[in-house]
């Protein structure tokens, strides 16, 4: 069974894991499962790194033809938890930087997968949550999505790839404005800037992401085969 997003009348549910992996019909479904806002803490990082390693092995064995990254709950991810941000601000910078560097390396592994990786984004997608979405090849947003690079409002800089990937997508000037200003974008603004490929109703997110994989995976296979 394909994992689908919550409908409006469904409650948010927690699992023992903060991120899960399920493979259905050759598509790997990675689900952020720490609602309501899917904050990224140490346990999340460990589990996510394990899953990204698994995705690499599955792709190398040609057991998957694409990845859909979605969320359990009404929001994609609000990024790092406040304790991590406070630690960075209050002086535990080495620990924070080490964690960000490790996550950044794994986000790069996600980006380098030889199969299409599609983020199905609903609700809030900010901070490290945005950086995770930027590590996907394509991003599809629901109509009520809010996206932003907000680290500067806490006195720190993005540490997981936004400073590299945002300029490539929206241009250096606009990326600087978004990173330094911490401005949040709605779905239509993000679409106009090219940050998301399409805007759909939240009930269509997973179906649309699978459509992208069905359409694009043959091209990825051709490139991989030279």
């Amino acid at each position: 069974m394909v994992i689908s997003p919550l409908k409006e009348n469904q409650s948010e549910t927690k699992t023992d894991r903060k991120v899960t992996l399920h493979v259905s019909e050759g598509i790997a479904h990675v689900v952020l499962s720490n609602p309501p806002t899917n904050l990224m803490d140490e346990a999340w990082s460990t589990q996510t790194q394990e899953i990204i390693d698994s995705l690499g092995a599955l792709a190398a064995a040609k057991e998957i033809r694409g990845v859909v990254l979605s969320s359990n709950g009404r929001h994609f991810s609000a990024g790092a938890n406040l304790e991590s941000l406070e630690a960075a601000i209050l002086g535990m910078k080495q620990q924070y930087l080490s964690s960000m560097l490790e996550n950044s390396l794994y986000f790069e592994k996600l980006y380098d997968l030889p199969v299409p990786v599609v983020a199905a984004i609903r609700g809030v997608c900010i901070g490290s949550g945005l950086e995770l979405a930027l590590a996907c090849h394509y991003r599809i947003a629901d109509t009520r999505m809010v996206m932003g690079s907000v680290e500067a409002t806490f006195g720190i800089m993005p540490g997981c790839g936004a400073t590299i990937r945002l300029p490539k997508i929206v241009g250096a000037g606009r990326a600087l404005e978004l990173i330094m200003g911490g401005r949040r974008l709605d779905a239509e603004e993000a679409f106009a800037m090219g940050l998301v490929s399409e805007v759909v109703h939240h009930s269509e997110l997973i179906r649309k992401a699978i459509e992208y994989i069905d359409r694009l995976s043959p091209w990825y296979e051709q490139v991989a085969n030279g």
Side-chain angles (χ1 to χ4, degrees):
M1 179 182 294
V2 174
I3 297 171
S4 59
L6 291 176
K7 294 182 173 61
E8 286 300 317
N9 60 353
Q10 286 182 290
S11 62
E12 296 169 341
T13 57
K14 281 184 177 286
T15 68
D16 292 334
R17 291 184 59 86
K18 296 187 176 183
V19 57
T20 62
L21 170 62
H22 169 75
V23 178
S24 175
E25 299 180 353
I27 297 177
H29 294 263
V30 178
V31 184
L32 308 180
S33 301
N34 188 30
T37 56
N38 292 305
L39 293 176
M40 301 176 177
D41 56 16
E42 187 174 349
W44 181 93
S45 294
T46 299
Q47 293 172 19
T48 299
Q49 290 166 16
E50 291 171 354
I51 282 177
I52 292 174
D53 281 336
S54 296
L55 293 174
L58 289 167
K62 299 188 182 303
E63 294 182 19
I64 57 172
R65 56 192 176 87
V67 177
V68 174
L69 177 61
S70 63
S71 59
N72 174 9
R74 288 171 173 77
H75 301 291
F76 185 76
S77 176
N81 63 22
L82 286 175
E83 289 181 0
S84 297
L85 294 174
E86 287 172 356
I89 294 167
L90 294 176
M92 297 171 60
K93 293 184 178 179
Q94 189 57 50
Q95 179 182 342
Y96 173 78
L97 289 173
S98 296
S99 174
M100 288 298 99
L101 176 60
E102 199 164 359
N103 281 340
S104 180
L105 292 173
Y106 272 88
F107 288 6
E108 189 68 24
K109 286 186 178 183
L110 180 66
Y111 185 80
D112 286 341
L113 286 175
V115 296
V117 182
V118 186
I121 308 170
R122 65 179 301 183
V124 169
C125 176
I126 60 175
S128 299
L130 171 61
E131 294 185 289
L132 176 61
L134 291 174
C136 299
H137 304 157
Y138 310 94
R139 288 159 294 282
I140 302 170
D142 91 317
T143 53
R144 292 179 292 183
M145 183 208 72
V146 177
M147 175 179 280
S149 179
V150 300
E151 287 87 346
T153 63
F154 292 94
I156 57 177
M157 290 294 289
C160 295
T163 54
I164 296 172
R165 294 193 179 96
L166 263 179
K168 290 181 178 179
I169 297 170
V170 303
R174 187 164 281 172
L176 187 63
E177 173 195 346
L178 294 175
I179 291 170
M180 299 305 293
R183 184 162 70 90
R184 302 187 185 196
L185 307 172
D186 63 25
E188 292 302 330
E189 287 179 296
F191 175 73
M193 287 188 184
L195 278 170
V196 300
S197 301
E198 200 163 341
V199 179
V200 300
H201 188 268
H202 68 84
S203 62
E204 294 292 303
L205 280 171
I206 301 300
R207 183 188 66 80
K208 183 62 69 171
I210 292 172
E211 278 186 10
Y212 271 62
I213 290 171
D214 288 341
R215 185 171 74 250
L216 295 167
S217 58
W219 295 99
Y220 278 71
E221 186 174 1
Q222 282 188 17
V223 171
N225 292 336

